[in-house]
Amino acid sequence: MSPAGEALSPARGTAPVPHGTAPTETRTHGTNLPQSRPREAASPGTRPSEPPEAEPVPAVKRFLPPAPSELRHFEPEPAHEGVRPRSGPGQTQFGSLRPSGTFAPEQGSPQPQHGPPRSDALPEPLVTGRQPAPDPEASPDAVLIRRTMAEVGHIADKVTSYFYALLFVRHPELRPLFPVAMDTQRDRLLKALLTAAEHIDNTEVLVAYLQSLGRGHRKYGTRPEHYPAVGECLIGSLGRYASAVWDAEMEAAWVRTYTTISQVMIDAAAADELRAPAWWFAEVVSHDLRTPDVAVVTVRPDRPYPFLAGQYTSLETPWWPRIWRHYSFASAPRPDGLLTLHVKAVPAGWVSNALVHRARPGDVIRLGPPSGSMTVDHTTDSGLLCLGGGTGIAPIKALVEDVAEHGERRPVEVFYGARTDHDLYDIDTMLRLQRTHPWLSVRPVVDRRAHLQLPDAVREYGPWNEYDAYLSGPPGMIRSGVDALREIGIPSDRIRHDSVEELVTTGD
């Protein structure tokens, strides 16, 4: 199981891509997932289209934020023409940003949450093409941002291609930071920027999202000086395709918004650099093929790796440099420091197929920092209702171990969903835990045997209104599971799962 989209992802790699020529136009527009497994010697893949020769790239000025204005939660300071501000924590080429006392970058190693973990720890994904719902309390900048997105939503492919064309033509030195094959990357950067911009008024959610992105992007080699180039090309692309509504006021709103976004990320990365490496090397110590397409992989990191049960990591294999995917830990932190992941090989899944079919003991992979908010709240004695579908049982198992290690006797009810009996690859482990802990109940739910979906099976038991719910599995299961849990009376603030947006490329 794995949330996916650290979307602002220039990735640090070992094989720079030649960038002596501008990108040429291609009509291969599609999803993030490749449609077929690439060859070992991958070509540059899908590249963004170059601005048409007959219509030259419009000049995009060097953006400097205007004087502080309506932005409610942040106070950008103006930079001055003719002065190149330093690029570092607290200041970018777009100007400095001072939080107005509402937050600060996180410090120290991951800490257990106090109070219920939030299921909305990351913004919901941007739904392109929809009209934004009226919000009488929206700030002036938020109104302008949403108007832009409503204008360009139906042509997101064109905006994305043009954005990368501008970025790689104007800043070719950044091309080697991105994966060789851009078809798995091309939508993520723009989607993350637009998603963050859409939530500019929601400080609590936005800041947590951006801080996580900022910390995670250290592994790609992203530096503070890279952010102005991205902002310049973002605003240039939006200005071109939202020309019907674009004006100086809208441009200024985007400059202020991007200043906010980039500064939170830069500050979070700078704070994280003082306490943790950008990545960890980890050696594969065991590889257990449970089914023809599911492997349990255990690795030993080269230094202590702090994380909480229920969290996930990003992972890069030596076979696909600069291609990172997310996988949840299948155990609570262990005294020996080993980490276990459950991986399902999916069609055209570059990383998942490499981990299942190629990885062997002795191979070395890279791990990014831990992330995720689907952790146990140990300040309460509420029961846990856990739904795990497929390899989504991995973090559920970690949560059970976490409760056991804390010596709690709170009830934990686990529904383990699979399509067939054969897919219950970890049922023996879960039943062994059930025999050890009398407070634990494990119920396998097999679709083809009972013709019953996992969320529907939960309705037959209960009541669950006094439980905290945890969901892990494919995006469709998460969505239907949340709906089912709400219908049977579990409040939304007691339903925990990682962002559905991050689950879109689960296990690829």
Side-chain angles (χ1 to χ4, degrees):
M1 120 89 179
S2 62
E6 286 183 274
L8 289 162
S9 52
R12 183 169 184 173
T14 57
V17 180
H19 47 71
T21 60
T24 56
E25 184 171 2
T26 176
R27 297 190 183 277
T28 307
H29 300 298
T31 62
N32 287 339
L33 294 177
Q35 297 306 306
S36 60
R37 184 182 174 109
R39 299 172 183 170
E40 292 294 325
S43 63
T46 303
R47 294 185 293 177
S49 58
E50 182 178 0
E53 293 183 5
E55 193 173 350
V57 179
V60 180
K61 68 182 181 181
R62 178 186 177 208
F63 289 103
L64 297 170
S69 61
E70 306 92 345
L71 198 58
R72 294 193 299 179
H73 303 299
F74 305 92
E75 300 172 4
E77 290 182 352
H80 302 284
E81 283 291 351
V83 178
R84 181 179 178 83
R86 66 187 178 91
S87 291
Q91 191 169 21
T92 69
Q93 190 169 338
F94 279 71
S96 65
L97 183 73
R98 297 178 303 182
S100 53
T102 57
F103 66 90
E106 297 178 6
Q107 300 287 344
S109 59
Q111 297 294 322
Q113 296 190 14
H114 300 287
R118 298 178 58 89
S119 63
D120 61 349
L122 296 180
E124 285 301 309
L126 174 71
V127 181
T128 55
R130 64 171 166 81
Q131 292 293 329
D135 183 356
E137 297 183 359
S139 68
D141 280 352
V143 171
L144 293 171
I145 295 301
R146 292 166 187 168
R147 186 181 303 167
T148 308
M149 292 190 291
E151 183 72 15
V152 303
H154 66 291
I155 50 173
D157 267 357
K158 293 182 179 180
V159 178
T160 300
S161 295
Y162 192 81
F163 165 79
Y164 280 112
L166 282 181
L167 186 65
F168 295 157
V169 169
R170 295 184 175 202
H171 304 278
E173 71 281 0
L174 297 185
R175 182 61 182 92
L177 299 178
F178 289 80
V180 173
M182 285 293 293
D183 48 355
T184 62
Q185 162 64 34
R186 61 185 302 274
D187 297 333
R188 296 180 182 178
L189 174 55
L190 194 65
K191 182 179 291 185
L193 289 170
L194 297 181
T195 299
E198 187 177 27
H199 290 78
I200 194 64
D201 280 352
N202 192 341
T203 306
E204 182 180 2
V205 172
L206 177 66
V207 169
Y209 177 57
L210 294 175
Q211 287 179 335
S212 178
L213 281 180
R215 291 189 297 267
H217 277 69
R218 291 181 56 217
K219 68 179 178 290
Y220 300 116
T222 306
R223 303 297 305 164
E225 56 269 23
H226 297 153
Y227 285 87
V230 172
E232 170 194 318
C233 297
L234 167 68
I235 296 174
S237 302
L238 293 172
R240 174 186 176 89
Y241 285 97
S243 58
V245 296
W246 195 263
D247 56 20
E249 184 181 11
M250 186 171 287
E251 180 181 294
W254 274 97
V255 170
R256 288 190 293 269
T257 298
Y258 184 79
T259 299
T260 295
I261 292 170
S262 60
Q263 200 59 62
V264 174
M265 294 180 65
I266 288 171
D267 288 345
D272 192 59
E273 191 170 1
L274 299 177
R275 66 176 180 87
W279 64 78
W280 287 253
F281 289 107
E283 179 185 358
V284 176
V285 297
S286 71
H287 186 279
D288 180 10
L289 194 64
R290 297 286 181 87
T291 76
D293 58 359
V294 173
V296 174
V297 182
T298 301
V299 301
R300 178 186 293 111
D302 62 340
R303 66 193 86 181
Y305 188 97
F307 73 99
L308 301 176
Q311 290 191 307
Y312 58 89
T313 186
S314 52
L315 182 156
E316 178 204 51
T317 71
W319 301 283
W320 297 109
R322 292 176 279 170
I323 303 294
W324 294 77
R325 292 294 180 266
H326 295 79
Y327 295 94
S328 293
F329 299 109
S331 67
R334 296 162 51 170
D336 60 11
L338 296 181
L339 310 172
T340 300
L341 310 167
H342 292 187
V343 183
K344 179 180 176 64
V346 299
W350 299 10
V351 175
S352 65
N353 276 281
L355 288 171
V356 172
H357 300 303
R358 299 186 60 172
R360 294 294 181 268
D363 290 333
V364 176
I365 61 176
R366 283 204 298 171
L367 303 176
S371 191
S373 61
M374 201 181 75
T375 54
V376 176
D377 177 10
H378 292 290
T379 66
T380 76
D381 57 1
S382 300
L384 273 64
L385 171 61
C386 302
L387 283 65
T391 53
I393 197 64
I396 301 302
K397 174 176 172 285
L399 295 178
V400 171
E401 293 181 357
D402 190 35
V403 172
E405 289 178 6
H406 278 75
E408 300 161 348
R409 297 184 63 84
R410 58 204 294 186
V412 178
E413 304 281 342
V414 174
F415 288 79
Y416 182 1
R419 293 183 178 178
T420 68
D421 290 319
H422 182 69
D423 294 324
L424 294 171
Y425 67 91
D426 210 34
I427 188 62
D428 290 343
T429 303
M430 298 305 299
L431 293 177
R432 186 166 57 250
L433 287 170
Q434 178 180 248
R435 289 191 296 270
T436 304
H437 306 297
W439 41 261
L440 173 63
S441 175
V442 177
R443 297 183 177 92
V445 179
V446 180
D447 291 355
R448 293 182 184 174
R449 185 202 305 163
H451 303 288
L452 191 66
Q453 297 293 321
L454 180 58
D456 298 324
V458 176
R459 293 188 179 97
E460 298 185 0
Y461 297 86
W464 305 116
N465 54 302
E466 297 299 325
Y467 281 68
D468 294 332
Y470 295 80
L471 298 92
S472 175
M477 191 217 85
I478 298 293
R479 293 187 179 98
S480 61
V482 169
D483 290 341
L485 293 175
R486 287 173 176 167
E487 290 173 7
I488 60 179
I490 299 182
S492 296
D493 61 357
R494 301 185 73 168
I495 301 175
R496 294 85 187 272
H497 60 85
D498 287 312
S499 170
V500 174
E501 178 188 25
E502 292 201 337
L503 292 167
V504 170
T505 55
T506 295
D508 182 39

